[in-house]
């Protein structure tokens, strides 16, 4: 049984992109993107990157410092994790309405980073939204995000997640030979200014955002979307029920631009024997419906490199093995960690476990506290998030609400 889902799920629920809305926001976004200038033409550059759960972390130079930026197709503009810096320049006097992953809305100003260097390319006047509240959840894994707006400046990219490389170019046919015969998906740019692709499932053909900033996420498919699609289709509803492995009470935990949100819902664990992203086959995929928005995340890039062909507006997938992807993530969403209230002395995280999961069978129960992982006390969020999990069996020590301690060993896999 595969248990890397435990760590994957914790990371995934704590990272979220945002979207712009309204005509004013669209105009300001367009204006801020037009102001970007590039230092090179007719070039191609290769940069060494880090890959976390399929997500690509790019080293950049800003104001003489080397910082790490998440390559995030799920946001239409850059994100700066931290306080506004004195050298940032506000684009206009107006602000834009930002909706985060929890559907909370606030007005935010757009600022410019005067100069960002990626490899040998210097990007001037790069627009960002300041998101200081998110910094506590990313634990210095990265310092911000590069949005999808650079494709609008004619740049194409290859996210080589097998060899941990980023290739960036403005040459229109640079990847043409490499792309031949590979599966691909056309993308459309809608109001969100993020790329939307077609996902072909046995249930429905859906259009959803491809969000490389959704770390370790496969397919997010909200329960309310399923209810809406199939409310007048008994036949489709029966198909949905046949694909449902389990229905159970779940917890949705998401950290958005404006803080943490926790909701208790009734959701499903769905099994897709086969489906396609564009014409990329994806087999044996399990998806939980305890999510807020529909999107395809970065987990696919653990199994395939990605070419973003800007002139042709398409994603081209280069599977690491074979022509498709087999997932087998059976335990998706079986366990959630919820930060406890300030002053709770029993532990930092409370556990919410799906019944009938292997974790449940091994004795973990909802409302248990996670107090130790792989021998390291879990006293704060980042201690847990920054642990080195590679190649280790997952050893958990939990405490019940009445103070009893129990230890559980969970098997790991490479999924």
């Amino acid at each position: 049984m595969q248990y890397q889902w435990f760590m994957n799920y914790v990371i995934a629920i704590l990272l979220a992109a945002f979207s712009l809305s309204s005509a004013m926001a669209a105009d300001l976004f367009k204006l801020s993107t037009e102001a970007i200038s590039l230092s090179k033409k007719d070039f191609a550059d290769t940069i060494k990157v880090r890959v976390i759960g399929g997500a690509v972390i790019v080293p950049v130079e800003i104001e003489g410092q080397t910082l790490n930026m998440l390559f995030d197709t799920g946001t239409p503009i850059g994100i700066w994790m931290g306080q506004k810096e004195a050298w940032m320049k506000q684009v206009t006097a107006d602000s834009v309405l930002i909706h985060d992953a929890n559907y909370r809305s606030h007005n935010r100003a757009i600022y410019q980073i005067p100069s960002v260097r990626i490899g040998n390319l210097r990007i001037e006047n790069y627009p960002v939204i300041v998101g200081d509240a998110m910094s506590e959840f990313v634990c210095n894994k990265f310092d911000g995000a590069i949005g999808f707006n650079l494709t609008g400046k004619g740049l194409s990219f290859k996210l080589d997640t097998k060899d941990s490389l980023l290739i960036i170019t403005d040459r229109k046919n640079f990847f043409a030979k490499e792309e031949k015969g590979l599966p691909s998906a056309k993308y459309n740019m809608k109001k969100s200014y993020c790329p939307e692709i077609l996902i072909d499932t046995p249930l429905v053909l859906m259009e959803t955002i491809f969000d490389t900033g959704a770390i370790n996420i496969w397919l997010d498919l909200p329960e309310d979307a399923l209810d809406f699609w199939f409310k007048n289709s008994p036949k489709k509803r029966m198909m949905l029920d046949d694909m449902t492995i389990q229905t159970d009470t779940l917890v949705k935990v998401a950290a958005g631009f404006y803080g943490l949100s926790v909701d208790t819902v009734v959701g499903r664990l769905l099994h897709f024997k086969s489906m396609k992203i564009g014409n990329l086959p994806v087999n044996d995929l399990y998806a939980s419906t305890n999510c807020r928005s529909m999107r395809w995340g970065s987990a696919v890039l653990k199994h395939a490199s990605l070419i973003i062909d800007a002139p042709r507006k398409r994603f081209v997938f280069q599977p690491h093995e074979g022509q498709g992807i087999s997932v087998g993530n059976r335990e998706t969403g079986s366990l959630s960690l919820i930060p406890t209230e300030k002053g709770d002395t029993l532990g930092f995280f409370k556990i919410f476990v799906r019944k009938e999961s292997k974790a449940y069978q091994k004795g973990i129960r909802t409302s248990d506290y996670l107090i130790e992982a792989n021998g390291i006390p879990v006293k704060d969020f980042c201690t847990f998030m920054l642990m080195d999990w590679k190649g280790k069996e997952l050893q958990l020590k939990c405490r019940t609400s009445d103070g009893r301690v129990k230890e559980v060993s969970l098997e790991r896999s490479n999924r």
Side-chain angles (χ1 to χ4, degrees), residues 39-45 155 168-172 174:
S39 65
K40 300 177 70 176
K41 291 184 178 180
D42 191 25
F43 76 97
D45 202 0
L155 297 181
I168 179 171
T169 184
D170 64 345
R171 297 172 184 166
K172 289 186 177 180
F174 185 80

Side-chain angles (χ1 to χ4, degrees), residues 95-362:
S95 59
V96 295
L97 186 66
I98 302 296
H99 299 277
D100 72 0
N102 302 320
Y103 299 113
R104 296 174 181 169
S105 302
H106 291 271
N107 287 298
R108 287 284 172 125
I110 299 178
Y111 297 94
Q112 288 177 341
I113 300 177
S115 179
V116 179
R117 183 178 290 275
I118 304 177
N120 295 313
L121 176 68
R122 189 175 69 254
I123 302 169
E124 295 182 343
N125 303 320
Y126 187 71
V128 294
I129 299 289
V130 175
D132 52 299
M134 286 292 290
S135 58
E136 65 178 293
F137 301 115
V138 299
C139 303
N140 297 317
K141 283 183 176 288
F142 48 88
D143 303 290
I146 299 170
F148 200 67
N149 50 354
L150 287 179
T151 61
K153 301 300 291 186
L155 297 181
S156 294
F157 302 86
K158 180 177 179 181
L159 282 63
D160 184 342
T161 54
K162 186 174 184 179
D163 295 322
S164 299
L165 299 172
L166 174 70
I167 301 173
I168 179 171
T169 184
D170 64 345
R171 297 172 184 166
K172 289 186 177 180
N173 297 309
F174 185 80
F175 297 113
K177 290 183 179 179
E178 191 174 359
E179 292 175 353
K180 284 185 178 178
L182 292 177
S184 63
K186 294 286 289 184
Y187 65 80
N188 295 310
M189 303 300 291
K190 295 291 181 73
K191 291 180 180 179
S192 65
Y193 286 89
C194 294
E196 295 188 353
I197 56 175
L198 284 176
I199 308 294
D200 190 0
T201 79
L203 286 172
V204 66
L205 184 67
M206 67 182 80
E207 195 168 42
T208 182
I209 289 176
F210 187 18
D211 184 1
T212 60
I215 297 181
N216 278 310
I217 286 179
W218 283 97
L219 175 64
D220 266 357
L221 190 57
E223 184 74 19
D224 55 3
L226 295 173
D227 290 339
F228 175 78
W229 287 334
F230 306 139
K231 63 182 178 181
N232 296 320
S233 178
K235 184 177 179 180
K236 287 286 188 179
R237 176 64 65 175
M238 288 180 63
M239 289 180 61
L240 176 63
D241 291 340
D242 288 342
M243 296 175 65
T244 300
I245 304 301
Q246 188 177 353
T247 300
D248 197 4
T249 301
L250 304 167
V251 166
K252 292 193 292 189
V253 184
F257 229 51
Y258 309 108
L260 197 68
S261 174
V262 179
D263 291 328
T264 302
V265 296
V266 175
R268 300 169 183 262
L269 179 64
L270 299 173
H271 182 212
F272 295 97
K273 292 182 180 179
S274 63
M275 60 186 305
K276 288 184 177 181
I277 312 173
N279 59 3
L280 171 69
V282 178
N283 302 312
D284 197 22
L285 173 68
Y286 292 82
S288 180
T289 64
N290 62 329
C291 49
R292 284 175 169 77
S293 57
M294 192 163 59
R295 61 184 175 178
W296 193 277
S298 75
V300 67
L301 301 186
K302 294 189 291 185
H303 299 262
S305 296
L306 174 69
I307 296 172
I308 303 174
D309 190 332
R312 294 172 177 82
K313 288 191 175 181
R314 67 177 181 178
F315 295 111
V316 180
F317 299 94
Q318 189 174 46
H320 297 165
E321 297 179 8
Q323 292 299 307
I325 293 171
S326 293
V327 184
N329 56 335
R330 174 65 176 83
E331 290 292 320
T332 293
S334 292
L335 212 146
S336 302
L337 295 182
I338 307 167
T340 56
E341 297 287 337
K342 188 175 182 179
D344 193 329
T345 59
L346 292 179
F348 182 80
F349 283 122
K350 265 191 176 181
I351 295 172
F352 194 102
V353 64
R354 185 194 292 273
K355 293 179 181 178
E356 299 180 16
S357 66
K358 288 294 183 180
Y360 186 89
Q361 293 172 16
K362 289 208 171 188

Side-chain angles (χ1 to χ4, degrees), residues 20-30 95-98 110 193:
L20 303 178
S21 68
S22 82
M24 177 183 288
D27 289 343
L28 288 176
F29 166 70
K30 184 178 180 181
S95 59
V96 295
L97 186 66
I98 302 296
I110 299 178
Y193 286 89

